[in-house]
Amino acid sequence: MVDGTLVNSLRTAARIVAFSGAGMSTESGVPDFRSPGGVWSRYDPRELTFDRYVASPDVRAQSWQMRREFFDTAPQPNPAHDALVALERAGHLNGVVTQNIDGLHQEAGSQRVVELHGTAREVQCIGRPARPGEPAGCGWSAPATWAFDLLDRGMTDPACPACGALVKSATISFGQMLDSTSLQAATALVEDCDLLLTVGSSLQVYPAAGLPEIAVRTGGRVAIINDEPTGMDHLADVVVRARAAEVLPAAVAAALNA
Ligand code: NAD
């Protein structure tokens, strides 16, 4: 059963921005932190902080293994990702802001994606930073498969081929600052939207969870699709408590065909 209020919100909005969390990709087989048996039940990213990564070859080896397992399942976009592509192609959606690092929005075909937590699809030189948030290596980067090939050959801690310093997945680890350029791009999109559609995020962690507040403050409406209550349900015009890949494609199809 398609939620009529959600359909109407999508149909009448001209500048939608989607904001996605881990729940967007669970139906692609990428677990969120709570999924039983998922990669996060074997690795705790809260233990693999940026400081510990820089300090310890063991933590780096564990982190690479985690990244490897993350992609071993070869996740594919699901119908919820496809629905956002359809909204963008129809001219209703200005962009996607995501907490996800899996690259599935781009793989589905979304053109404008802001990745607040970076991407696990690339690796980059991080130099030998003295403090978290400090940059930024020599500028070398490569697809993540570069590191996976070296892991296959028995290496546990690949070094930058350009300068010999540390290499890390191009993701934001615990203890690492968000990239200010991404945060500014996300904020600008949300300030300009007339509907913020959040999908599969518990909306509990700032600054990402502050995006619904920005939308409301700048005159936008908020629609939330999540399979459990979120920290921002009180701000939303419509809350749909369901699985994203079940409700979003039908709602978008109904909105575009109305
Ligand atoms: P989160 O705080 O964004 O919470 C995910 C929410 O989605 C939960 O409330 C959950 O109940 C809900 N959910 C799960 N499957 C759903 C579905 N099919 N439909 C609707 N709702 C669904 O995310 P988290 O798991 O606490 O992860 C925190 C951070 O860890 C993320 O922001 C991200 O940076 C990283 N992470 C990324 C990925 C990814 O790239 N796919 C996966 C796991 C974790």
Side-chain angles (χ1 to χ4, degrees), residues 2-76:
V2 187
D3 184 290
T5 315
L6 177 62
V7 172
N8 204 37
S9 299
L10 296 172
R11 190 176 56 76
T12 53
R15 300 184 313 281
I16 301 170
V17 169
F19 175 51
S20 65
M24 182 90 201
S25 294
T26 53
E27 286 152 291
S28 293
V30 182
D32 62 9
F33 280 152
R34 271 160 290 181
S35 301
V39 61
W40 318 119
S41 59
R42 293 188 294 285
Y43 302 92
D44 184 353
R46 283 158 291 206
E47 297 286 312
L48 305 175
T49 62
F50 187 75
D51 280 356
R52 296 190 71 221
Y53 187 92
V54 170
S56 162
D58 285 348
V59 170
R60 293 198 287 279
Q62 224 186 322
S63 299
W64 286 121
Q65 204 49 44
M66 174 182 76
R67 294 293 168 219
R68 186 56 187 272
E69 287 186 32
F70 186 85
F71 279 119
D72 269 354
T73 54
Q76 299 299 315

Side-chain angles (χ1 to χ4, degrees), residues 21-23 25-27 30-34 40 70 99-102 117 200-202 226-228 242-244:
S25 294
T26 53
E27 286 152 291
V30 182
D32 62 9
F33 280 152
R34 271 160 290 181
W40 318 119
F70 186 85
Q99 292 181 285
N100 295 339
I101 55 173
D102 53 33
H117 295 175
S201 172
S202 57
N226 205 58
D227 67 2
E228 63 171 13
R243 309 280 290 168

Side-chain angles (χ1 to χ4, degrees), residues 174-216:
F174 279 89
Q176 210 176 350
M177 306 268 289
L178 290 193
D179 171 55
S180 60
T181 309
S182 301
L183 199 51
Q184 279 163 13
T187 304
L189 270 174
V190 174
E191 282 175 346
D192 187 46
C193 80
D194 56 3
L195 177 69
L196 181 68
L197 172 66
T198 98
V199 185
S201 172
S202 57
L203 296 176
Q204 276 163 357
V205 182
Y206 281 85
L211 295 179
E213 293 171 332
I214 294 172
V216 169

